[in-house]
Amino acid sequence: MQTAAFVTGLCAVCFCLLCYQFRNRKAIIACNVISRILYVLQYLLLFAFEGAAMDLSAIPASMLAARKHTAFVAKYKVLLWLMGNVVVVAMGGIFWENIISLLPIIGVLFEINALWMTKEKHIRLVSLASVPFWMSYNLLCGAYGSVIGNVLMILSIGTAMYRHDRPAEKKEDRVSV
């Protein structure tokens, strides 16, 4: 069971890392959903039900965030955003085991709120804030494939921020040889 969880976690990590390298938000979110499904499977294999519940509850919130510019979602955006947060907190309450259960709740809240943001730069920055919470939870529940992924996610988001989010270089700042 541990090996299957490790392999599933590594597959989830691959999709998770890939999503932050995309330039547009729809691709980021689609890859994020695939990653979450794999994370749910990993946590179920580890009997870490609060982690599975958090990632599962984040899937509909992620999908709604991907459609935030459609007529229905745009009209009820604040209500849908609020409902997504309430569902995550409620699921966290249902699957609460101890204080450690707070870690994936906070991690998911950062992640789903990031996806509602318009600018990809902000998506990456707020998503980065979720990593310490998930890394701590993954260490404590034995999701070691995901711990590796958390470290790699920091590097991936950092790389994406360097590639896409830094200010454009001015011509006078370039060194002429």
Side-chain angles (χ1 to χ4, degrees):
M1 204 62 87
Q2 191 73 12
T3 303
F6 183 77
V7 171
T8 304
L10 287 179
C11 290
V13 164
C14 290
F15 279 97
C16 191
L17 294 176
L18 181 62
C19 76
Y20 294 106
Q21 297 306 314
F22 289 107
R23 188 174 289 272
N24 82 29
R25 64 186 306 285
K26 281 190 178 186
I28 291 171
I29 293 169
C31 218
N32 182 282
V33 169
I34 293 167
S35 173
R36 285 196 187 284
I37 292 168
L38 291 167
Y39 278 125
V40 168
L41 197 63
Q42 171 200 231
Y43 291 127
L44 289 174
L45 290 168
L46 291 169
F47 302 103
F49 298 116
E50 64 268 314
M54 290 301 92
D55 272 326
L56 191 60
S57 66
I59 292 171
S62 299
M63 293 170 78
L64 282 171
R67 293 176 172 78
K68 77 176 198 167
H69 297 298
T70 63
F72 175 80
V73 177
K75 183 176 179 180
Y76 299 105
K77 182 169 46 175
V78 174
L79 179 64
L80 293 169
W81 167 80
L82 185 61
M83 283 177 41
N85 283 283
V86 168
V87 166
V88 166
V89 171
M91 290 290 279
I94 291 168
F95 287 91
W96 183 271
E97 289 187 18
N98 53 38
I99 194 72
I100 294 168
S101 300
L102 195 57
L103 296 170
I105 295 169
I106 295 170
V108 165
L109 287 173
F110 271 119
E111 290 171 344
I112 66 170
N113 285 298
L115 297 176
W116 282 97
M117 296 179 172
T118 303
K119 294 185 178 182
E120 290 81 2
K121 175 181 182 175
H122 298 144
I123 294 172
R124 285 185 272 274
L125 191 60
V126 175
S127 294
L128 185 60
S130 74
V131 176
F133 297 98
W134 276 114
M135 184 182 292
S136 300
Y137 178 74
N138 290 330
L139 280 168
L140 293 168
C141 76
Y144 301 118
S146 292
V147 172
I148 293 167
N150 295 136
V151 172
L152 294 174
M153 186 181 297
I154 292 168
L155 295 172
S156 177
I157 294 174
T159 300
M161 291 171 84
Y162 177 79
R163 288 179 53 215
H164 302 302
D165 302 338
R166 65 188 165 117
E169 191 177 278
K170 296 179 187 175
K171 285 185 179 180
E172 62 266 8
D173 289 344
R174 291 187 199 146
V175 177
S176 311
V177 187

